[in-house]
C-alpha cells in the first residue's frame, strides 16, 4: 500500500472526531473518502498531510511510519475546496512555487511547469493572475501545482464543492483524466455520493468518526455493509420486518411473509430486523396480479403521492402496515388514492439486525 492508516483515532479535547479508522490506498489507486458533514473526513486528511497529530494510531507512506513527521517531510499534496493560490503570483509562478519547495532546480522547473499547465489545459493562461481566472480554472491550477511535484499521495478535500453543478461534473471528468494520465495515488474526500461513485476505484464510507463500509462502488451499492451505507449510497426504502421461522428463514415484511432460503442468518424467532430495498428494485401493479414471472412478493397498498421528477415518477405507496415506500417508475403512474400492489424480489432485500450497525447473515442479504 502507498498509504496506510492503522487504527487512526483523533480527539479534539474530549470530542472524538475519528475513531479507530483503518484503510489503505494502493499505488495508483483513487479512493474516495465519503461521508456526511462532520463525520471526520477532514481530520483524516489533516492526519495524512501532517497538520494534525493523531491521538492514537499510525499513518504510513510507502511503508514508512510518518505519524509524527512534519508536513514538509512528507511527499503529500493537498487541494482544498477554497483556492490557496498566491494572488500576487501568476499561474506559472504558482505551479513553480510547489516545485521550488520540493527542491527542483529552476531549469527543469520551467519544463515541468509547462508540462503540467498543458495537462490541465491552461498553457494560454500561464501569465494570468488568479483573480483573472474562473473558479474552475483556479481549481485546475491548484491541481497542476499539487501534481507537478509527483507526490506519493494527492489529497483532494472537497475540491469541487464550491463550484456550480455543471462545472463540478466537467471538472470531475478532468480529475479522472489527470489521475489516469499521471497515475498519482489519490484520496478524494467528498460528501457527494454520486461524485464518489463516478470517480473512485474504491469507496471508504465514514459515519460519525468510524468506517461504515469499504469496497468497490457497485459492490458497496448493491451489497451495503450497514443500514447507514444502504441509505447514504443512493436511495433506500426501510421496512421493519420480523423473523417468523428459521427453517427456511422467513420474515414478515409489509404484512406479507418473505422466505429467504439457503441462508445462514441466525435471527431468532420474533426478533425485529430492518429490511432495505431500493426504489428502482420495486415494481408497481395497479391491477393486483403480478404474473408467474413477476416479483416473489406482492405488498398491497394505496398510492399516497406521485412526484414527477422529469425523467421518472416517484410513487409513494402507503402499505397496509402504514409504512410508506417509494417506487421509481418511468411509465405513467397510477393516481393518488388508487389501490396498487408493490412487487419485490426477495433477492433485492438487504436485511439488517434492528438497531445494529451490521448486517445479519451476509448471504441472506443477497441470495
Ligand atoms: P465537513 O465535511 O463538514 O468538513 P468532516 O467530515 O470533514 O466535516 P471534520 O471536519 O473532520 O469532519 O470534523 C469531525 C468532528 O470534529 C466534527 O464534530 C467537528 O466539529 C470536530 N472538529 C473538527 N475540527 C475541530 C477543531 N479544530 N476543534 C474542535 N473540534 C473539531
Amino acid at each position: 500500500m502507498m498509504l496506510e492508516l492503522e487504527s487512526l483515532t483523533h480527539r479534539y479535547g474530549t470530542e472524538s472526531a475519528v475513531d479507530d479508522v483503518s484503510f489503505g490506498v494502493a499505488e495508483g489507486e483513487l479512493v474516495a473518502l465519503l461521508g456526511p458533514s462532520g463525520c471526520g473526513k477532514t481530520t483524516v486528511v489533516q492526519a495524512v498531510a501532517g497538520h494534525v497529530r493523531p491521538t492514537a494510531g499510525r499513518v504510513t507512506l510507502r511503508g514508512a511510519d510518518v505519524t509524527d513527521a512534519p508536513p514538509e517531510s512528507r511527499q503529500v499534496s493537498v487541494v482544498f475546496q477554497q483556492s490557496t493560490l498566491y494572488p500576487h503570483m501568476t499561474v506559472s509562478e504558482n505551479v513553480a512555487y510547489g516545485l521550488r519547495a520540493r527542491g527542483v532546480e529552476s531549469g527543469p522547473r520551467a519544463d515541468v511547469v509547462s508540462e503540467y499547465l498543458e495537462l490541465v489545459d491552461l498553457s494560454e493562461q500561464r501569465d494570468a493572475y488568479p483573480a483573472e481566472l474562473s473558479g474552475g480554472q483556479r481549481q485546475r491550477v491548484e491541481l497542476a501545482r499539487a501534481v507537478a511535484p509527483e507526490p506519493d499521495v494527492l489529497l483532494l478535500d472537497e475540491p469541487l464543492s464550491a463550484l456550480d453543478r455543471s462545472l463540478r461534473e466537467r471538472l470531475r471528468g478532468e480529475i479522472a483524466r489527470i489521475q489516469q494520465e499521471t497515475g498519482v495515488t489519490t484520496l478524494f474526500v467528498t460528501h457527494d455520493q454520486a461524485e464518489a461513485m463516478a470517480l473512485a476505484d474504491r469507496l471508504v464510507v465514514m459515519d460519525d468518526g468510524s468506517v461504515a463500509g469499504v469496497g468497490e462502488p457497485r459492490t458497496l451499492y448493491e451489497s451495503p455493509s450497514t443500514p447507514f451505507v444502504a441509505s447514504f449510497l443512493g436511495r433506500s426504502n426501510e421496512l421493519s420486518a420480523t423473523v417468523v421461522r428459521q427453517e427456511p428463514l422467513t420474515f414478515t415484511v409489509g404484512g406479507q411473509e418473505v422466505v429467504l432460503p439457503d441462508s445462514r442468518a441466525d435471527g431468532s424467532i420474533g426478533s425485529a430486523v430492518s429490511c432495505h430495498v431500493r426504489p428502482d428494485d420495486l415494481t408497481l401493479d395497479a391491477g393486483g396480479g403480478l404474473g408467474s414471472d413477476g416479483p416473489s412478493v406482492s405488498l398491497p397498498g394505496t398510492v399516497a403521492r406521485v412526484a414527477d421528477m422529469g425523467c421518472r415518477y416517484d410513487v409513494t405507496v402507503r402499505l397496509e402496515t402504514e409504512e410508506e415506500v417509494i417506487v421509481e417508475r418511468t411509465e405513467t403512474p397510477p393516481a393518488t388514492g388508487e389501490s396498487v400492489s408493490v412487487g419485490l424480489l426477495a433477492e433485492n432485500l438487504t436485511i439488517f439486525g434492528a438497531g445494529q450497525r451490521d448486517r445479519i447473515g451476509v448471504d441472506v442479504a443477497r441470495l
Side-chain angles (χ1 to χ4, degrees):
M1 286 286 165
M2 178 66 90
L3 168 68
E4 199 136 25
L5 308 183
E6 293 168 30
S7 300
L8 193 77
T9 295
H10 192 67
R11 284 187 287 277
Y12 294 101
T14 53
E15 166 137 5
S16 174
V18 171
D19 184 25
D20 198 22
V21 164
S22 299
F23 67 90
V25 186
E27 185 161 7
E29 195 180 22
L30 195 163
V31 168
L33 186 58
L34 173 68
S37 179
C39 72
K41 305 180 297 293
T42 296
T43 303
V44 169
V45 165
Q46 302 280 35
V48 174
H51 300 133
V52 150
R53 183 180 276 194
T55 313
R58 285 199 333 150
V59 179
T60 63
L61 279 170
R62 291 189 183 276
D65 187 341
V66 296
T67 316
D68 297 322
E72 58 276 13
S73 72
R74 307 177 187 203
Q75 303 298 311
V76 172
S77 295
V78 194
V79 174
F80 298 100
Q81 177 176 337
Q82 300 301 339
S83 175
T84 60
L85 298 176
Y86 294 110
H88 60 284
M89 290 186 188
T90 64
V91 164
S92 56
E93 285 166 350
N94 264 288
V95 177
Y97 186 86
L99 293 164
R100 192 162 54 231
R102 296 271 163 84
V104 179
E105 302 287 328
S106 66
R109 210 187 297 154
D111 292 342
V112 175
V113 169
S114 297
E115 181 190 335
Y116 281 88
L117 286 182
E118 201 171 310
L119 179 75
V120 298
D121 200 17
L122 282 176
S123 300
E124 286 178 17
Q125 284 79 13
R126 59 181 304 125
D127 296 322
Y129 287 90
E132 298 169 312
L133 302 177
S134 70
Q137 286 174 326
R138 276 199 289 273
Q139 282 308 71
R140 273 152 56 202
V141 181
E142 293 273 358
L143 280 170
R145 184 174 65 171
V147 178
E150 299 185 356
D152 286 343
V153 174
L154 172 65
L155 300 172
L156 303 174
D157 191 355
E158 304 265 10
L160 308 178
S161 299
L163 307 173
D164 66 52
R165 190 178 159 178
S166 68
L167 185 55
R168 219 162 57 211
E169 285 177 8
R170 242 184 304 144
L171 211 52
R172 182 167 89 196
E174 282 290 281
I175 289 176
R177 179 184 61 79
I178 290 165
Q179 200 271 340
Q180 268 165 15
E181 282 183 24
T182 59
V184 62
T185 306
T186 305
L187 184 62
F188 183 95
V189 173
T190 181
H191 63 273
D192 182 331
Q193 60 98 8
E195 197 163 280
M197 292 188 78
L199 267 180
D201 298 315
R202 278 189 311 134
L203 302 179
V204 176
V205 182
M206 280 186 74
D207 174 23
D208 197 18
S210 302
V211 173
V214 180
E216 290 177 9
R218 179 156 291 276
T219 311
L220 216 47
Y221 178 85
E222 290 183 345
S223 191
S225 44
T226 66
F228 176 81
V229 174
S231 54
F232 198 72
L233 290 185
R235 302 197 303 165
S236 182
N237 289 299
E238 183 176 1
L239 291 165
S240 57
T242 308
V243 179
V244 289
R245 250 190 320 281
Q246 281 180 314
E247 294 286 339
L249 193 70
T250 308
F251 304 91
T252 50
V253 179
Q256 304 290 308
E257 288 200 355
V258 183
V259 180
L260 295 174
D262 305 327
S263 71
R264 292 191 286 111
D266 56 358
S268 56
I269 291 172
S271 63
V273 296
S274 103
C275 168
H276 286 248
V277 59
R278 306 244 177 235
D280 55 344
D281 281 334
L282 294 174
T283 59
L284 209 49
D285 189 89
L290 291 159
S292 55
D293 293 334
S296 62
V297 187
S298 159
L299 310 176
T302 308
V303 174
R305 281 182 301 283
V306 177
D308 186 348
M309 310 304 286
C311 57
R312 62 160 203 271
Y313 298 95
D314 280 358
V315 182
T316 303
V317 178
R318 184 168 303 119
L319 303 176
E320 289 182 342
T321 53
E322 294 297 313
E323 291 174 297
E324 289 190 347
V325 290
I326 295 176
V327 183
E328 284 183 14
R329 186 179 166 100
T330 46
E331 313 89 69
T332 310
T336 302
E338 214 172 297
S339 293
V340 290
S341 293
V342 175
L344 62 90
L345 292 168
E347 67 193 43
N348 289 329
L349 294 177
T350 305
I351 307 288
F352 300 97
Q356 295 174 359
R357 291 171 67 87
D358 298 324
R359 197 164 52 173
I360 59 166
V362 171
D363 296 353
V364 177
R366 313 294 299 191
L367 296 174

